[in-house]
Amino acid sequence: MTLPTIDDVQAAAARLDGVAHRTPVLTSRTLDAMLGGSVFLKAECFQRVGAFKFRGAYNAVASLSEPARAGGVATYSSGNHAQALALAAALHGVPAAIVMPEDAPSIKVAATAGYGAEIVPYDRYTGDRRAIAESVAAERGMTLIPPFDHWDVIAGQGTTALELFEQAGPLDVLAVCVGGGGLISGCATVAKAQDHPVRVVGVEPEAGDDVKQSLEQGRIVEIPAPHTIADGQQTVAPGEKTFAVMAERVDEIVTVTDPEIVDAMRFAFERLNVVLEPSGASALAALLAGRIETAGRRVGVTLSGGNIGVRRFVEVMSA
Amino acid sequence: MTLPTIDDVQAAAARLDGVAHRTPVLTSRTLDAMLGGSVFLKAECFQRVGAFKFRGAYNAVASLSEPARAGGVATYSSGNHAQALALAAALHGVPAAIVMPEDAPSIKVAATAGYGAEIVPYDRYTGDRRAIAESVAAERGMTLIPPFDHWDVIAGQGTTALELFEQAGPLDVLAVCVGGGGLISGCATVAKAQDHPVRVVGVEPEAGDDVKQSLEQGRIVEIPAPHTIADGQQTVAPGEKTFAVMAERVDEIVTVTDPEIVDAMRFAFERLNVVLEPSGASALAALLAGRIETAGRRVGVTLSGGNIGVRRFVEVMSA
């Protein structure tokens, strides 16, 4: 398997130029004082659709051949990738079909449909969403763009780190939220191409440590569907492509508990004035919980998404 | 009375360079589509101490003569100016005394004390906070830096607009949250010095429309202490200096109700992923409530502060 290079990420950045937001990097002297290092928070919660996912989805659609793109794109996702792909397709003026569970939150269904995508419902207890999406794509002549295990998706997500290094300068450590591994695969590709050595640390919820187990055992380990508030990190296994990149370029995976994620969301709210969804707060949670060595170091952190309603936020904070 | 000029604001910007954050300008295609214009949100909730107040306080301390500064600074405030002046003094290595009501929220007292300032409590029902602060300052040889009615404070707050014009380009309208008028006085000074005409609109809570009444009547009108959730805008009258600047350079004051402010806070949370305190959301509230003409216009908006705890946020959202 030929792994992507920083050139692929730079090509993605050119495609995203003027389309994706160049999100701000936030710093907090309070946080630096607590951790004894210099922390640079890449605020992808301010990305279009509220999460880094737009980068990969847009890059994947933009990278299709003209005839393939004209046929449209399909995927399976109940989360941020659904909205991201729907918007990416709309911006290219091509159709999109998104396979979503029948019981997906209506707010997410509405947001995805709002970009003009067709929603294809399925029963999450009996249906295989990937197989359904494949058959939808085949029937309609669409191209399937999976949420993470796709080279152009990975390269697109990597532009997050490309910008962060431009904005923050050299970093000693890069802490990245990990679900299926698309974001960290792209970011690690950028980090390991820097002149300065960068330690790349992935952060998973404790209950959903499929990537940690997979990297430790040197093979893809599949776990039962995890119970965690971090719904964007409820993956059961890394993909073949993301596993291959992570095995080569990620130094360590650490885990955080749900209460630690809630603490990080509260810290982000009260001290940074930023809204993070649980999955978007996990890398920050690892720092605050002392899972990552920060003393005297320059540390980049992804705040990967902020899609949470007030109602759900109140529930999570009251739990 | 000689009003400040954009040169004063530029001098303030030089003093703040590398000390204050150059806060991001957020844009939202959702918001633009709702309003039919192009909206540029100057996110001062990401400023040091979580609000624009740091700009004015730091500029005022930095502008003192060496011997005056060495004697320290004093003020009266239970809000963001207290923390801002405490931090500005700490950065200059000089003492600060802050007169705060005995029943001020302990979180705000702790934050102010955390910057090394001395807290001087007073009884808000019997004491005159300004008189107390004046006597504290006189006794200790400190300089009183009031929250808004001070030329160096006004010039410092104006750097908010200076950056916004640099970041967003020409604007047709500038909507600014108004409490005592320090922020809008500085920002209007910048706006009216642009080549392009800029309509400057201030936004007050409906219950606390002292500035609106004052500008309409052409004299400083004092109102009873207003009941509004926007605690940073509970002023009873503009200052002499801010009134003079606003009378000359502000085109209109509009008001928003508390429920409209709550709606804007919810919009900021859910669609922008930004935490705003009530006072910081009022200008956005005016746009969302249709109080300001936005169709086809380029509109700058201050998101002036984000200091609200999770507990208070939940209360406000549940009310």
Side-chain angles (χ1 to χ4, degrees):
Chain A
M1 202 179 283
T2 308
L3 302 187
T5 68
I6 192 165
D7 294 343
D8 297 310
V9 180
Q10 275 158 344
R15 290 184 199 102
L16 289 168
D17 187 34
V19 182
H21 289 160
R22 188 177 173 88
T23 54
V25 171
L26 306 177
T27 57
S28 159
R29 286 168 179 83
T30 304
L31 187 61
D32 288 357
M34 288 166 65
L35 299 175
S38 298
V39 181
F40 300 89
L41 302 160
K42 181 63 171 166
E44 283 296 293
C45 46
F46 302 132
Q47 189 49 265
R48 294 183 77 168
V49 310
F52 71 94
K53 290 281 187 181
F54 177 70
R55 297 174 181 269
Y58 187 89
N59 187 51
V61 177
S63 299
L64 291 172
S65 70
E66 192 66 48
R69 187 162 56 233
V73 289
T75 198
Y76 48 92
S77 165
S78 57
N80 294 329
H81 179 65
Q83 291 180 59
L85 192 68
L87 174 57
L91 292 170
H92 284 95
V94 303
I98 316 286
V99 174
M100 294 180 100
E102 284 168 352
D103 59 354
S106 58
I107 191 170
K108 294 201 171 184
V109 177
T112 306
Y115 293 118
E118 179 194 356
I119 310 299
V120 181
Y122 80 103
D123 179 341
R124 74 159 86 220
Y125 301 102
T126 60
D128 172 343
R129 63 183 198 161
R130 177 161 185 131
I132 295 166
E134 280 170 353
S135 91
V136 165
E139 274 166 25
R140 301 173 198 204
M142 289 173 158
T143 304
L144 183 69
I145 310 287
F148 53 84
D149 208 31
H150 186 289
W151 294 128
D152 296 319
V153 172
I154 291 169
Q157 317 305 29
T159 62
T160 307
L162 207 58
E163 289 177 11
L164 175 55
F165 282 103
E166 286 169 11
Q167 293 165 305
L171 299 171
D172 303 308
V173 181
L174 182 60
V176 182
C177 309
V178 174
L183 178 60
I184 198 171
S185 293
C187 290
T189 297
V190 173
K192 295 302 180 182
Q194 302 295 307
D195 293 333
H196 189 84
V198 183
R199 181 168 177 81
V200 178
V201 182
V203 183
E204 283 189 305
E206 194 176 63
D209 65 343
D210 49 301
V211 172
K212 182 177 168 65
Q213 288 191 42
S214 297
L215 293 181
E216 282 172 359
Q217 298 186 28
R219 64 179 181 87
I220 294 176
V221 174
E222 187 167 336
I223 62 171
H227 291 280
T228 166
I229 56 166
D231 54 303
Q233 297 177 301
Q234 284 175 318
T235 49
V236 296
E240 288 179 21
K241 296 180 180 69
T242 57
F243 176 75
V245 177
M246 291 189 289
E248 192 72 26
R249 296 173 182 165
V250 171
D251 295 288
E252 186 186 5
I253 303 284
V254 299
T255 62
V256 288
T257 65
D258 280 6
E260 286 166 348
I261 290 174
V262 172
D263 286 345
M265 292 170 67
R266 181 178 284 111
F267 181 91
F269 184 104
E270 297 196 330
R271 306 309 297 249
L272 307 174
N273 298 331
V274 168
V275 177
L276 297 180
E277 63 186 286
S279 312
S282 61
L284 177 61
L287 260 68
L288 293 173
R291 297 286 137 68
I292 298 174
E293 185 59 59
T294 52
R297 301 192 184 168
R298 294 172 59 83
V299 183
V301 179
T302 59
L303 305 179
S304 63
N307 289 324
I308 183 166
V310 166
R311 181 183 299 228
R312 176 67 183 145
F313 180 80
V314 170
E315 273 173 16
V316 164
M317 287 296 145
S318 315
Chain B
M1 203 179 281
T2 308
L3 302 187
T5 68
I6 192 165
D7 294 342
D8 297 311
V9 181
Q10 275 159 343
R15 290 184 200 103
L16 289 167
D17 186 33
V19 182
H21 290 159
R22 188 177 172 87
T23 55
V25 171
L26 305 177
T27 57
S28 159
R29 285 166 179 84
T30 304
L31 186 62
D32 288 356
M34 288 166 66
L35 299 175
S38 297
V39 181
F40 300 89
L41 303 159
K42 181 63 171 166
E44 282 295 296
C45 46
F46 302 132
Q47 188 50 266
R48 294 182 78 167
V49 310
F52 72 93
K53 289 281 186 180
F54 177 71
R55 297 175 182 270
Y58 187 90
N59 187 51
V61 176
S63 299
L64 291 173
S65 70
E66 190 67 47
R69 187 162 57 234
V73 289
T75 198
Y76 48 91
S77 165
S78 57
N80 294 330
H81 179 66
Q83 292 180 58
L85 191 68
L87 175 57
L91 292 171
H92 284 94
V94 303
I98 316 287
V99 174
M100 294 181 100
E102 284 169 350
D103 60 352
S106 58
I107 191 172
K108 294 201 172 182
V109 176
T112 306
Y115 293 120
E118 180 196 354
I119 310 300
V120 181
Y122 79 102
D123 180 340
R124 74 160 86 220
Y125 301 101
T126 60
D128 172 343
R129 63 182 198 161
R130 177 160 184 128
I132 296 167
E134 280 169 354
S135 90
V136 164
E139 275 166 25
R140 301 175 198 202
M142 289 172 159
T143 304
L144 183 68
I145 309 287
F148 52 84
D149 208 31
H150 185 289
W151 294 128
D152 296 318
V153 171
I154 291 169
Q157 318 304 30
T159 61
T160 307
L162 206 59
E163 289 177 11
L164 176 54
F165 282 103
E166 287 170 9
Q167 292 165 306
L171 300 171
D172 304 309
V173 181
L174 182 60
V176 181
C177 310
V178 175
L183 179 61
I184 198 171
S185 292
C187 289
T189 297
V190 173
K192 295 303 179 183
Q194 301 296 305
D195 294 331
H196 188 83
V198 183
R199 183 169 176 79
V200 178
V201 182
V203 183
E204 283 188 307
E206 195 175 63
D209 65 344
D210 50 301
V211 171
K212 183 178 168 66
Q213 289 191 43
S214 297
L215 293 180
E216 281 171 2
Q217 298 186 29
R219 62 177 183 88
I220 294 176
V221 174
E222 186 165 335
I223 62 171
H227 290 279
T228 165
I229 56 165
D231 54 302
Q233 296 177 301
Q234 284 175 318
T235 48
V236 295
E240 289 179 19
K241 296 179 179 70
T242 57
F243 176 74
V245 177
M246 291 189 290
E248 191 73 25
R249 296 174 182 165
V250 172
D251 295 288
E252 185 186 6
I253 302 284
V254 300
T255 62
V256 288
T257 65
D258 280 5
E260 286 166 349
I261 289 174
V262 173
D263 286 347
M265 291 170 68
R266 182 179 284 109
F267 182 90
F269 184 104
E270 295 196 331
R271 306 309 296 252
L272 306 174
N273 298 330
V274 168
V275 177
L276 297 180
E277 63 186 286
S279 312
S282 62
L284 177 62
L287 260 69
L288 292 172
R291 297 285 137 70
I292 298 174
E293 186 58 61
T294 52
R297 301 193 184 168
R298 294 171 60 82
V299 184
V301 179
T302 58
L303 306 179
S304 62
N307 288 325
I308 184 167
V310 166
R311 182 184 298 227
R312 175 69 182 144
F313 180 80
V314 169
E315 273 174 17
V316 164
M317 287 296 144
S318 315

